[in-house]
Amino acid sequence: MFRMTRFPALLAGLLLFLLAAPLAAQPPPDPGDPFGEDPFGNRFGEPDADVDALVRTAFFSRNSAQRTRALRFLVERDQKDVIPAFIAVMRLLPDEDGRLLDALQRLARANIPRDWKAWTEWQEDHTEIRPYRGFVSFKADILAGIDPNFRDFLYRGVRHRIRIEEIVWGGVTKDGIPALVNAEQIPAAEATYLTDRELVFGVSINGDSRAYPLRILDWHEMFNDVVGGVPVSLAYCTLCGSGILFDTRVPGRRKPFVFGSSGLLYRSNKLMYDTETESLWNQFTGEPVVGELTESDIVLKVLPVVITSWKDWLAAHPDTTVLSLDTGFDRDYRPGRPYGQYFASPELMFPVVVRDRRLDPKDRIFVLRDGKAEMAWALSLFEGGAALHDRVGGRDVVLIGDAEFETVRAYDSGGRTFNVVADDPAHVESGGALWSVSEDALTGPDGETLLRLPGHVAYWFAYQSYHPGKSVRTE
């Protein structure tokens, strides 16, 4: 997601116009009524309308006396359920006199300065706070001031299993980062724009091998394709460094899912959406979390994908195809655009609490995603090339990789011990015999195969956020 540094000031004016416009036709407040009528026609004192009306008046009324009275009442009411609304508007609305911040500090009993990121992380830490009734509609109105299409995802009564208050705008509109759908593939010989050391996502299913360069996926963060007859989506969250390949077929559903980028985030992770129901999905877990599908038991199956250099991928898959630069979108597909600075920096762009400090937030890891048996390894363990052995969920596994190109593949080891072969990424050695490394399996000289296991690279902060307490090997 992009950080739009000029947008907050512009959006503040837009939000004030959209949310407070009805005031133009409102009469002056009745002196006998302590608050008068709110900007949306609700009389204070009506059941279930009071808090939402007070919040909207305190933030968006053009009548300063109404704003003052409503804000004072919220402070005197002394209930934390309105804190999410204060944090939601902090990012977008000015507060020159500091009254909104003062009210928030009093309600939260926290002496945090006007820092939206700090308050968002404070909110993540305080799961005991439940927003007032009507907050979802308020949040939807706030986001609709940025893009009306966000109402496709958030609306009154929407089902959800993540905290709506923790959903934040990622700096773009719905589909502002456009997904690729069955994008043109070209023969490897025509991919003259690629250099040997460039990174690609490599996918091979049923003998159909395809390369998806990161220089292109940085701009699109999602591709929907059919590889080897299998409909798949690669959900790539640039913020959390994870490209996860999902099988989009779900038993009991006639069509495979097709996904796009919502423009919204949750704990610095993209919320993707399916184009059929427009439910929001957690990119890291492959589960619907907001919308129609929330109460389903759907969990997308994770498939193997690898990040590697174009040179190594082409050597292992000479018949591969590769994404064409002719995507149908006008983008600067040179390497390092648009996230070069973010990838090179240790800092995060959006707020998230990093509780587990066994690794630094943006240390890269490899995550094994074999059903419920999950585990992570620091990518630094693969410096210079390595074969690491471990036991996960009762299964012996071997991970073969090279940190230089973020390349790791995981296999069922069958209890065997393997060693890397110098300058030969296509083979590993076991008991003096060479085994071939492929996208499907390790294959021994006698034809024995050991199956590939699904996994992907990610930043540490994302894994520790969605899989707290899971095992990680750092040495």
Side-chain angles (χ1 to χ4, degrees):
M1 300 287 178
F2 295 114
R3 175 165 47 192
M4 301 299 192
T5 55
R6 292 187 301 153
F7 267 31
L10 296 174
L11 287 169
L14 178 59
L15 285 169
L16 284 170
F17 174 77
L18 291 174
L19 293 173
L23 272 174
Q26 293 293 319
D30 181 354
D33 186 331
F35 295 104
E37 191 167 335
D38 86 282
F40 300 88
N42 297 311
R43 297 293 296 184
F44 298 120
E46 291 180 358
D48 301 327
D50 287 7
V51 177
D52 189 60
L54 283 164
V55 166
R56 292 171 183 265
T57 300
F59 295 147
F60 302 118
S61 174
R62 291 178 179 172
N63 184 305
S64 61
Q66 283 188 328
R67 290 199 307 271
T68 299
R69 289 195 297 270
L71 188 61
R72 185 178 68 248
F73 185 89
L74 290 174
V75 172
E76 292 174 352
R77 176 175 172 269
D78 196 26
Q79 296 294 317
K80 289 182 167 57
D81 59 356
V82 297
I83 288 176
F86 278 81
I87 296 174
V89 302
M90 177 182 290
R91 188 179 177 194
L92 300 174
L93 292 184
D95 183 25
E96 288 87 354
D97 57 12
R99 290 192 299 168
L100 296 181
L101 175 61
D102 178 67
L104 175 58
Q105 290 174 332
R106 292 187 184 199
L107 289 168
R109 293 171 177 80
N111 190 26
I112 301 173
R114 183 181 171 86
D115 182 333
W116 171 74
K117 289 186 176 181
W119 277 105
T120 301
E121 291 175 359
W122 180 92
Q123 179 170 250
E124 181 182 335
D125 264 338
H126 288 76
T127 56
E128 77 281 4
I129 296 176
R130 297 289 186 267
Y132 66 89
R133 181 185 299 186
F135 172 76
V136 173
S137 295
F138 175 81
K139 185 70 172 274
D141 288 342
I142 290 289
L143 291 173
I146 299 168
D147 178 7
N149 293 311
F150 287 149
R151 293 192 188 278
D152 296 338
F153 310 129
L154 296 181
Y155 44 86
R156 183 177 182 179
V158 68
R159 290 177 286 187
H160 57 95
R161 55 180 173 183
I162 60 174
R163 300 172 76 199
I164 297 295
E165 58 269 33
E166 287 193 51
I167 294 176
V168 303
W169 176 49
V172 294
T173 58
K174 177 186 177 184
D175 294 319
I177 298 178
L180 298 177
V181 180
N182 299 321
E184 181 184 0
Q185 294 267 330
I186 58 176
E190 296 179 17
T192 55
Y193 69 88
L194 283 170
T195 61
D196 285 350
R197 296 176 62 83
E198 279 193 57
L199 299 184
V200 300
F201 288 110
V203 178
S204 185
I205 301 175
N206 297 328
D208 184 0
S209 299
R210 304 191 183 193
Y212 299 85
L214 270 69
R215 67 150 78 180
I216 298 178
L217 266 296
D218 283 351
W219 283 101
H220 297 281
E221 298 193 1
M222 177 77 66
F223 71 68
N224 299 276
D225 215 335
V226 178
V227 183
V230 177
V232 298
S233 286
L234 185 126
Y236 177 34
C237 175
T238 50
L239 294 173
C240 53
S242 61
I244 307 174
L245 187 67
F246 293 110
D247 185 333
T248 56
R249 299 170 298 184
V250 173
R253 299 192 73 88
R254 187 170 61 87
K255 295 181 179 179
F257 285 110
V258 176
F259 290 97
S261 293
S262 69
L264 304 175
L265 305 173
Y266 184 77
R267 298 184 180 179
S268 198
N269 175 265
K270 75 181 293 172
L271 288 170
M272 58 190 193
Y273 76 96
D274 70 90
T275 58
E276 179 183 349
T277 74
E278 297 196 309
S279 297
L280 295 176
W281 296 60
N282 184 318
Q283 178 268 352
F284 211 87
T285 66
E287 299 172 289
V289 290
V290 178
E292 177 182 325
L293 299 177
T294 299
E295 295 178 1
S296 71
D297 58 358
I298 294 173
V299 181
L300 296 177
K301 180 182 179 181
V302 179
L303 300 176
V305 63
V306 69
I307 297 176
T308 187
S309 70
W310 169 237
K311 177 182 178 181
D312 287 346
W313 179 259
L314 181 58
H317 307 277
D319 60 344
T320 189
T321 58
V322 61
L323 271 182
S324 168
L325 287 178
D326 185 11
T327 64
F329 298 94
D330 184 15
R331 297 292 189 273
D332 181 356
Y333 288 125
R334 289 177 294 170
R337 274 80 169 171
Y339 292 104
Q341 290 183 342
Y342 176 73
F343 294 149
S345 167
E347 301 300 321
L348 302 179
M349 190 179 295
F350 287 89
V352 61
V353 176
V354 183
R355 297 178 177 87
D356 191 329
R357 292 287 179 169
R358 284 178 286 176
L359 294 169
D360 290 334
K362 287 175 75 175
D363 280 350
R364 291 188 180 273
I365 59 171
F366 176 80
V367 185
L368 179 65
R369 299 291 296 274
D370 185 23
K372 294 183 179 180
E374 297 192 355
M375 187 169 169
W377 293 260
L379 209 62
S380 59
L381 297 175
F382 298 92
E383 292 290 349
L388 304 182
H389 297 79
D390 224 315
R391 188 167 178 81
V392 183
R395 185 202 298 265
D396 291 317
V397 300
V398 59
L399 299 97
I400 301 165
D402 187 341
E404 181 180 7
F405 296 113
E406 304 178 22
T407 303
V408 182
R409 296 177 178 90
Y411 301 88
D412 186 329
S413 72
R416 292 179 178 272
T417 300
F418 292 91
N419 300 290
V420 296
V421 178
D423 302 321
D424 185 3
H427 295 91
V428 288
E429 178 273 334
S430 179
L434 288 181
W435 288 60
S436 298
V437 177
S438 77
E439 306 313 316
D440 299 320
L442 294 177
T443 305
D446 59 355
E448 180 183 359
T449 59
L450 297 170
L451 293 180
R452 174 96 175 272
L453 303 175
H456 59 87
V457 172
Y459 287 138
W460 168 245
F461 83 84
Y463 181 71
Q464 66 87 47
S465 181
Y466 292 108
H467 300 277
K470 291 282 189 177
S471 296
V472 59
R473 294 280 189 267
T474 60
E475 57 182 27

